[in-house]
Amino acid sequence: TCALPISRAPPARAGVVLLGSEHVADEKIALDAARSSAPSLSFADEDSADAAEQLRHADVILAVGTRAATMARTVAPETPLVYAMVPVAEAPTGKGVTGVALEVPAYATLAQWKQLRWDGTRVAIVHDKAAPVADAGKAAAALGMTVTVRAVDGPEHVGAAIDELGPKVDAVWIATTLPQAAAAKWRGRVALLG
């Protein structure tokens, strides 16, 4: 008898695999938006048993959230990765990796505000102590602005910080949660960014 050689076909590729969790509200919104704009994307829920297998066959991985980006680099380190909603400090780096960080750089925010209100030069930044705004002073100086930074212990202290700083500045950049009461009190009295 004659043995025929068996050829193995390479595993089927999955194209672009969208990876994330539908159990995290903000990530679900981003996942839904990605699916509505590109319905042909394959989806892998990071909590599903077959997510790792889907990633191994992906041509490109679009990871939404820190956990998804970490999983993608761990399971398929050679597969090109595009990430979104990942804090700068936790963003993966390396060849074949790109994405959009969760935070907007201070320079971009201040430059945009300056375009809208060219005569304003005094800005206050109110942020959570656990999440400082990087390079705010440097960005403000480059744009000819002065900045006052105030760290707060949580959303319940944002209103008091705005009460203190609002009368002294042209705009207040809220880089944390803005309580509705503070927003209503200061709307129309000082520009609120964030």
Side-chain angles (χ1 to χ4, degrees):
T1 65
C2 178
L4 296 173
I6 298 174
S7 68
R8 294 186 187 260
R13 302 304 288 178
V16 178
V17 174
L18 177 62
L19 175 66
S21 174
E22 294 190 316
H23 306 291
V24 178
D26 290 340
E27 290 180 20
K28 182 174 179 359
I29 292 168
L31 292 169
D32 290 345
R35 283 191 285 236
S36 70
S37 63
S40 64
L41 294 177
S42 297
F43 175 68
D45 189 305
E46 63 194 30
D47 296 316
S48 73
D50 69 339
E53 189 61 27
Q54 287 180 284
L55 297 179
R56 287 187 195 98
H57 296 289
D59 293 315
V60 175
I61 300 168
L62 173 54
V64 177
T66 303
R67 195 166 153 232
T70 301
M71 181 181 189
R73 290 318 308 150
T74 302
V75 172
E78 300 301 317
T79 303
L81 170 66
V82 178
Y83 63 84
M85 297 186 69
V86 177
V88 170
E90 299 172 37
T93 59
K95 183 179 178 188
V97 177
T98 191
V100 179
L102 186 60
E103 303 91 351
V104 176
Y107 186 89
T109 299
L110 294 174
Q112 182 180 25
W113 180 77
K114 189 166 181 165
Q115 287 178 337
L116 296 174
R117 184 179 169 128
W118 58 271
D119 61 336
T121 60
R122 301 167 302 151
V123 178
I125 300 175
V126 178
H127 68 86
D128 192 291
K129 282 184 179 177
V133 177
D135 298 326
K138 186 175 170 182
L143 293 164
M145 303 171 130
T146 58
V147 67
T148 303
V149 179
R150 183 74 71 244
V152 295
D153 287 318
E156 63 276 10
H157 300 285
V158 170
I162 298 172
D163 288 346
E164 175 195 344
L165 300 170
K168 304 172 189 174
V169 297
D170 301 306
V172 180
W173 176 9
I174 311 298
T176 186
T177 303
L178 174 61
Q180 290 296 324
K185 179 178 180 179
W186 285 95
R187 189 173 291 119
R189 295 173 56 196
V190 67
L192 296 175
L193 312 172

